[in-house]
Amino acid sequence: MNRREEQALSNAVMNYLAIKGILHYRVRNSGTIIHRPGGGIAYGRDRYAVTQRGTPDILAWDNGKAFAFELKSSKGRVRPEQEEWLSKFRDEGGIGAVVRCLDEVIAIMK
């Protein structure tokens, strides 16, 4: 998996959504500031919080539709829990997809 490629894609998608004025949120699944019980902070995954494994990278809402995008590099693989999350999201009426370029996001949101 090419993290730089995924980060560049994340930046492009976030910029596009911001320019278009679309409500969106970048989910931080790792590398977050952790507030530990009893005080103190750390950097990394929060082992004290209950998280939903497979949560997609970006959530967006536009014209009454909910979107969930799992961002992957050109060779990045989707983990089973990521595909399961997207499948449940689609079952609930959302539009969930694995995307590898900004053009895919634009096409899905039209």
Side-chain angles (χ1 to χ4, degrees):
M1 180 179 349
N2 184 337
R3 291 224 178 243
R4 286 187 185 194
E5 190 178 339
E6 286 183 13
Q7 185 59 54
L9 176 57
S10 176
N11 291 342
V13 172
M14 293 295 286
N15 287 336
Y16 170 78
L17 296 172
I19 288 168
K20 291 293 190 177
I22 296 170
L23 179 64
H24 61 283
Y25 178 73
R26 170 77 167 99
V27 178
R28 301 286 181 189
N29 292 324
S30 65
T32 58
I33 295 174
I34 300 164
H35 298 274
R36 293 186 172 166
I41 61 171
Y43 183 77
R45 291 187 185 270
D46 189 348
R47 65 187 176 124
Y48 299 104
V50 176
T51 60
Q52 289 189 37
R53 295 184 59 95
T55 304
D57 297 305
I58 295 177
L59 301 172
W61 300 266
D62 188 40
N63 292 321
K65 296 178 185 173
F67 300 88
F69 297 112
E70 179 61 43
L71 309 178
K72 291 294 177 186
S73 67
S74 58
K75 296 181 182 179
R77 290 186 283 176
V78 181
R79 295 189 322 265
E81 61 267 21
Q82 292 171 323
E83 187 52 55
E84 182 181 349
W85 203 102
L86 289 172
S87 178
K88 287 180 181 179
F89 188 77
R90 289 187 292 263
D91 289 348
E92 293 298 328
I95 301 166
V98 175
V99 296
R100 298 178 188 276
C101 68
L102 178 58
D103 288 339
E104 290 178 351
V105 171
I106 294 169
I108 290 166
M109 294 192 79
K110 285 189 176 182

